[in-house]
Amino acid sequence: MGRTVSSNPCSRRYGIICNDEVMSLFKVLLEDLSHVSSLKSARRATGVPTTTIGDLDASLKSWKLWNLLAWNDLNRQYGRSLLGLLWVPLFTALFIGAFTLIFSILNGEPPNTFALYVASGYIIWIFMSESLVEGAGMFSQSRAMLLNSLIPRSLPVFRLIQRNVLRLCLNLTVLVGVFVVFFMPVNASMLLALVGLVVIVVTTFFAAFSCAILGARFEDLRLVISIGMRLLFFLTPIMWKSERMGAYQKFLIFNPFGHYIELVRAPLEGRAIPDVTLMVVAGCSILAGLVAVALFSSARPKLVHWV
């Protein structure tokens, strides 16, 4: 007996015989393809960017969204506590005060200048360190948002940096407190510290962006960065002065974190920013931006599959 070709769409299109089970699977496939097509159409209709520059531009224009999300993160973390957001500068002040009290005596340093040295270094370090460590897991933590909404891919990184900038602003009140408690003089050259803060925030954004992309692909990266930052804390002149390194001081040029801290610390102490610091910061900032853009351009289409 000859074989009768079914009249269903699958057999007519591909010339094969399909039973009811295959036919049902075929219908499910058509529905999935229709969903993908409608999703792409929705992205085009809502103006979701399809290029790297367009994605970054869309995130910048959505500043109200990532600012609101950043505030929500802080409120969720500290909202139910008694002191709320005051815990952020309080913890920093207690740490800086205890360390200054003990080691200014042991090292024979004047408490006022040593408090400024420690506070300026520690506050900048907290911002950079937390941004890099948290950045490595940011895309994974934003998985639901990336998969179920039409937000720009880069928006979670803006949310992260804004959250840590808010913490940084709270911690800067401790630095102001150091000037008030020790009656330290203020001059116009200290405004250069604000320029240094802007450079630090922008560079940290690009560095955290790269960590977020690589962390989405390699889950262990966050642990590696966390351990590495703890080791670098002791190798960076935050709690000790570089002059005490003696002949080994020349090796500090290879630690970029020390140079970024110096951008803020030197103007606050009334010193000129060293030329080598300016060159290292310029080179590292440009490199961080180029690497972040290159990684994002390559990984953006695959990012949702990694998370």
Side-chain angles (χ1 to χ4, degrees):
M1 295 179 62
R3 299 176 64 182
T4 303
V5 178
S6 173
S7 61
N8 59 53
C10 184
S11 61
R12 290 201 306 268
R13 188 168 185 176
Y14 300 104
I16 59 176
I17 299 176
C18 301
N19 54 28
D20 293 338
E21 182 179 358
V22 176
M23 186 59 190
S24 63
L25 292 175
F26 183 68
K27 290 180 179 179
V28 172
L29 177 60
L30 289 178
E31 292 176 357
D32 290 341
L33 292 176
S34 177
H35 172 70
V36 172
S37 178
S38 62
L39 182 59
K40 290 181 178 179
S41 299
R43 288 185 177 274
R44 288 193 294 268
T46 54
V48 175
T50 57
T51 63
T52 299
I53 302 301
D55 194 287
L56 294 172
D57 180 64
S59 291
L60 286 173
K61 292 179 179 178
S62 303
W63 64 271
K64 291 183 179 180
L65 175 58
W66 44 262
N67 181 61
L68 180 63
L69 291 172
W71 274 110
N72 182 66
D73 291 340
L74 292 179
N75 289 330
R76 185 172 54 186
Q77 184 176 0
Y78 300 100
R80 295 176 60 87
S81 63
L82 181 63
L83 298 179
L85 292 176
L86 289 178
W87 277 114
V88 177
L90 180 60
F91 176 80
T92 303
L94 290 175
F95 182 87
I96 293 173
F99 195 93
T100 301
L101 178 63
I102 295 173
F103 286 88
S104 63
I105 298 175
L106 294 178
N107 297 328
E109 298 282 353
N112 57 343
T113 57
F114 192 65
L116 177 60
Y117 185 90
V118 172
S120 57
Y122 184 67
I123 290 172
I124 299 302
W125 173 264
I126 289 177
F127 171 73
M128 294 188 294
S129 176
E130 288 183 347
S131 297
L132 297 181
V133 174
E134 294 175 5
M138 195 59 197
F139 281 134
S140 298
Q141 295 173 5
S142 306
R143 181 176 184 271
M145 182 180 295
L146 291 172
L147 293 178
N148 299 312
S149 63
L150 301 176
I151 64 169
R153 297 284 187 259
S154 57
L155 192 138
V157 183
F158 283 90
R159 172 187 182 179
L160 164 69
I161 295 300
Q162 177 66 0
R163 183 174 68 216
N164 287 338
V165 165
L166 294 174
R167 288 197 185 113
L168 174 62
C169 292
L170 291 172
N171 284 328
L172 287 177
T173 60
V174 178
L175 196 56
V176 174
V178 171
F179 278 90
V180 173
V181 170
F182 293 102
F183 302 100
M184 304 187 72
V186 179
N187 53 66
S189 64
M190 293 182 177
L191 294 176
L192 290 175
L194 296 178
V195 179
L197 280 175
V198 173
V199 174
I200 290 172
V201 170
V202 173
T203 306
T204 303
F205 167 80
F206 287 121
F209 207 162
S210 298
C211 291
I213 296 170
L214 295 175
R217 185 67 180 88
F218 306 102
E219 289 289 338
D220 295 334
L221 184 63
R222 181 171 184 175
L223 295 175
V224 173
I225 294 178
S226 179
I227 295 173
M229 296 305 292
R230 292 181 183 180
L231 294 176
L232 283 173
F233 177 81
F234 297 102
L235 299 177
T236 304
I238 300 171
M239 304 301 181
W240 48 269
K241 292 193 173 183
S242 57
E243 293 82 3
R244 293 184 175 274
M245 291 290 291
Y248 298 98
Q249 185 178 353
K250 58 185 178 181
F251 293 107
L252 294 178
I253 192 176
F254 300 106
N255 185 349
F257 294 98
H259 293 290
Y260 281 99
I261 291 175
E262 191 69 9
L263 280 181
V264 176
R265 178 183 281 161
L268 293 180
E269 292 182 341
R271 297 183 287 106
I273 301 175
D275 293 337
V276 63
T277 293
L278 294 176
M279 290 187 291
V280 171
V281 166
C284 290
S285 298
I286 294 173
L287 181 62
L290 294 176
V291 170
V293 172
L295 284 175
F296 188 54
S297 299
S298 175
R300 190 181 59 81
K302 301 169 285 187
L303 200 55
V304 293
H305 303 291
W306 291 350
V307 299

